[in-house]
Amino acid sequence: MTNATLTPVPAAPVANRRNRLSKGRLPRWAIPVVGLSALVLGAAGSTLGGFSIASMLIYTALLFVVGATAVTVIVEGRRQGTNSFFTYLIHGCFILALIPLISVLYTVLERGLPGMTSNFLFTSMNGMTGAVDNQSVADGTPVLGGAYHAVVGTLLITAFSTIISVPIGMLAAIYLVEYGQGKALSRGITFFVDVMTGIPSIVAGLFAGALFGILFGPSTRMGIVAAVALSVLMIPTVVRSTEEMLKIVPNELREASYALGVRKWRTIAQVVIPTAISGIASGVTLAIARVIGETAPILVTAGLANNINFNVFSNWMATLPTFIYYQILSPTSPTNIDPSAQRAWAAALLLIIMVMVLNLGARLIARVFSPKTGR
Amino acid sequence: MSKRIDVSDLNVYYGNFRAVADVNIEIGAKSVTAFIGPSGCGKSTFLRTLNRMHEVIPGATVEGQVLLDGDNLYDPGVDPVTVRSQIGMVFQRPNPFPTMSIRDNVLAGVKLNARKISRSDADDLVESSLRASNLWNEVKDRLDKPGSGLSGGQQQRLCIARTIAVKPGVILMDEPCSALDPISTLAIEDLINEMKNDYTVVIVTHNMQQAARVSDKTAFFNIAGTGKPGKLIEYDDTATIFSNPSVKATEDYVSGRFG
């Protein structure tokens, strides 16, 4: 017997032959061509009824979805056609959903940036009257007065509401997950937390105002009342997110700790919470981001101030949302509303930046605290 | 420090459901005892009653006596935490604490209880525990790295080191090798053979070769049908159980004709 060589001879590639396995598939240029023709047809169609960019884009999008689906159905069959129809539809919906977001960001940036002066950031509205605004408009000088007092108020009130709601919310969640499984009390708490989630923010404000009214006399308005109102809104969010995070801590870790002779509360404090802390921290940050933009409960609890107030336990305070509200609703100078509008937009931009920083902070915290996996 | 366990008339319940019925067994000190039997027959449930881990599950209760060197674990005055610090447990899936380094995982039993320990004592404890679990040479250069970065078999040995560090008298193992490859399994089995010099080891396993290799005595559990409680069918020297069992069901099970 001879030693047969078993090396397979590679089939020589046939020049310019189409891969038979790609039969029945659209060539790669097909979809871009459909898109281009949709654009041309869309532009043509929109000129029929008075040209506008918006109508052109709408026509193009519709023509593209219909055309691309039709082409796919003809060449690749119904299943692929359905697939591409829904793919383009979902992409379209995504773009549609992004439009308002981008539009808001663009508008706020466009109108808010001119007002972002050091004057705006580091002075308050104390002593700013309509005459000052009229003067600056007449002289063409930069707008005076700013939102420093509102920034201080926002930070202080939010910080105090966080201090109130995080311990309450976290302890409630710990009870629900670790101790109260299946007990009547825990079912009750869950139910009322759900109800609290749906409380309109103005009602929370009225509640806090009424509570402090009973305790310290009618129309007690100060920062801490607003902090209580905001914490009414924050607590359910904190409870919910902490609860979810504690639930996903594997039971095996608790059992491992018990099996080492560790007490339950120590297990919770040193094994369960450290394992879940990144999720809890980002949940808390998102809860803060949610309440930082509240307007109504602040108006009825902290009133409105034009001066800087560092003390949440006395006198009225302003926050950025109430600042915006008042600058728009009752401009400082009724005859020259532009300076007020500029301040309001700048404050809106500042608020968005604060919320974004909080969100980024949440991600950072989640990354810093999350269990390490390095080798 | 190795201790014996005597169980008499033990019934284990989940709510109203009786999962294990009338178990009587004596587990000698410094021995390895294997529990075998089909899935759902209550071996793991029974194992968990030996260090009061069973009652962690809501609605789970136990009747009967478990004597640890003559002291009943289920006396009303007994704190389960004391019991668990003397009877350690290794679980089916390796579960090192993900937030802790290898060193902290070994010291978990000490640190989580906030017991004071000097730096040098801690170092000694880490080294002796890791040596006892045959892991020292593999991790001695990276004690500060997270325990979750180890391989499955190493993680399981880390869990054993963590259990040893508490200095228990008895170590319970609930299918410790079922999530591991054959080489890691061999490492753990070697470890069990060494451990019986110092500890009483009780191991639940589905692997009958493993039971035959590591254990001195074997207990066969069985269940009459779904909804019926699991029972201890036969308990004898491992050699007897595998070569000449006295009950037909045991013979069927170990010879693979059943279950």
Side-chain angles (χ1 to χ4, degrees), chain B residues 224-245:
Chain B
T226 35
K228 302 265 175 52
K231 290 189 171 172
L232 174 62
I233 304 296
E234 190 171 357
Y235 175 52
D236 212 328
D237 290 337
T238 299
T240 315
I241 290 278
F242 281 95
S243 59
N244 188 20

Side-chain angles (χ1 to χ4, degrees), chain B residues 67-136:
Chain B
L67 304 180
L68 178 71
D69 271 0
D71 301 318
N72 187 5
L73 305 186
Y74 286 96
D75 263 350
V78 174
D79 184 350
V81 171
T82 318
V83 171
R84 291 178 200 140
S85 64
Q86 297 189 21
I87 306 181
M89 189 161 199
V90 176
F91 296 85
Q92 184 169 0
R93 289 232 317 248
N95 52 1
F97 297 119
T99 50
M100 297 183 193
S101 65
I102 292 172
R103 181 187 149 87
D104 286 347
N105 259 291
V106 177
L107 292 175
V110 178
K111 283 201 167 170
L112 293 181
N113 277 320
R115 239 177 281 140
K116 291 273 176 288
I117 185 166
S118 73
R119 174 96 200 168
S120 62
D121 283 355
D123 288 340
D124 290 346
L125 183 61
V126 169
E127 181 169 350
S128 64
S129 305
L130 286 172
R131 276 192 194 285
S133 65
N134 290 337
L135 193 61
W136 175 251

Side-chain angles (χ1 to χ4, degrees), chain B:
Chain B
M1 61 182 169
S2 160
K3 295 189 171 176
R4 62 177 286 115
I5 294 180
D6 299 276
V7 179
S8 50
D9 300 323
L10 195 82
N11 287 289
V12 190
Y13 298 87
Y14 288 108
N16 291 324
F17 171 67
R18 184 155 75 154
V20 178
D22 305 322
V23 175
N24 290 284
I25 195 169
E26 291 101 42
I27 297 166
K30 295 196 177 183
S31 68
V32 178
T33 305
F35 292 174
I36 59 170
S39 291
C41 70
K43 339 177 264 304
S44 293
T45 302
F46 175 61
L47 188 78
R48 289 166 63 94
T49 61
L50 298 183
N51 70 341
R52 298 193 63 168
M53 283 295 287
H54 175 64
E55 62 204 50
V56 170
I57 299 161
T61 51
V62 175
E63 265 173 17
Q65 277 197 328
V66 180
L67 304 180
L68 178 71
D69 271 0
D71 301 318
N72 187 5
L73 305 186
Y74 286 96
D75 263 350
V78 174
D79 184 350
V81 171
T82 318
V83 171
R84 291 178 200 140
S85 64
Q86 297 189 21
I87 306 181
M89 189 161 199
V90 176
F91 296 85
Q92 184 169 0
R93 289 232 317 248
N95 52 1
F97 297 119
T99 50
M100 297 183 193
S101 65
I102 292 172
R103 181 187 149 87
D104 286 347
N105 259 291
V106 177
L107 292 175
V110 178
K111 283 201 167 170
L112 293 181
N113 277 320
R115 239 177 281 140
K116 291 273 176 288
I117 185 166
S118 73
R119 174 96 200 168
S120 62
D121 283 355
D123 288 340
D124 290 346
L125 183 61
V126 169
E127 181 169 350
S128 64
S129 305
L130 286 172
R131 276 192 194 285
S133 65
N134 290 337
L135 193 61
W136 175 251
N137 286 329
E138 290 159 66
V139 301
K140 64 183 174 198
D141 300 323
R142 47 172 174 160
L143 290 175
D144 292 325
K145 294 278 160 55
S148 46
L150 298 173
S151 77
Q154 290 173 327
Q155 286 187 17
Q156 193 62 299
R157 277 180 282 153
L158 179 61
C159 293
I160 294 174
R162 179 173 75 183
T163 308
I164 291 173
V166 188
K167 299 193 167 49
V170 180
I171 295 180
L172 309 176
M173 296 185 163
D174 189 357
E175 297 182 44
C177 302
S178 65
L180 306 180
D181 69 291
I183 295 170
S184 308
T185 302
L186 196 65
I188 305 250
E189 287 179 6
D190 288 346
L191 181 56
I192 293 172
N193 270 324
E194 290 169 25
M195 276 162 62
K196 75 175 172 190
N197 299 326
D198 299 311
Y199 306 96
T200 307
V201 179
V202 183
I203 176 171
V204 167
T205 179
H206 272 294
N207 181 334
M208 279 182 277
Q209 286 81 9
Q210 181 171 61
R213 281 194 299 263
V214 300
S215 67
D216 305 312
K217 292 190 125 191
T218 299
F220 172 63
F221 287 77
N222 204 356
I223 186 169
T226 35
K228 302 265 175 52
K231 290 189 171 172
L232 174 62
I233 304 296
E234 190 171 357
Y235 175 52
D236 212 328
D237 290 337
T238 299
T240 315
I241 290 278
F242 281 95
S243 59
N244 188 20
S246 52
V247 182
K248 180 80 168 59
T250 315
E251 190 183 345
D252 286 351
Y253 187 77
V254 298
S255 61
R257 258 174 292 175
F258 157 90

Side-chain angles (χ1 to χ4, degrees), chain A residues 181 252-264 266-267 270-271 274-276 369-375, chain B residues 48 53 56 79 81 84-85 88-89 91 93 95-99 108-109 111-114 145-146 148-149 162 166:
Chain A
Q181 291 284 314
E252 297 157 8
L253 293 181
R254 297 187 181 91
E255 294 198 336
S257 179
Y258 296 150
L260 292 171
V262 180
R263 292 198 179 282
K264 185 163 186 172
R266 282 198 172 278
T267 302
Q270 301 191 19
V271 174
T275 309
F369 282 115
S370 65
K372 315 285 180 292
T373 49
R375 274 163 204 279
Chain B
R48 289 166 63 94
M53 283 295 287
V56 170
D79 184 350
V81 171
R84 291 178 200 140
S85 64
M89 189 161 199
F91 296 85
R93 289 232 317 248
N95 52 1
F97 297 119
T99 50
K111 283 201 167 170
L112 293 181
N113 277 320
K145 294 278 160 55
S148 46
R162 179 173 75 183
V166 188

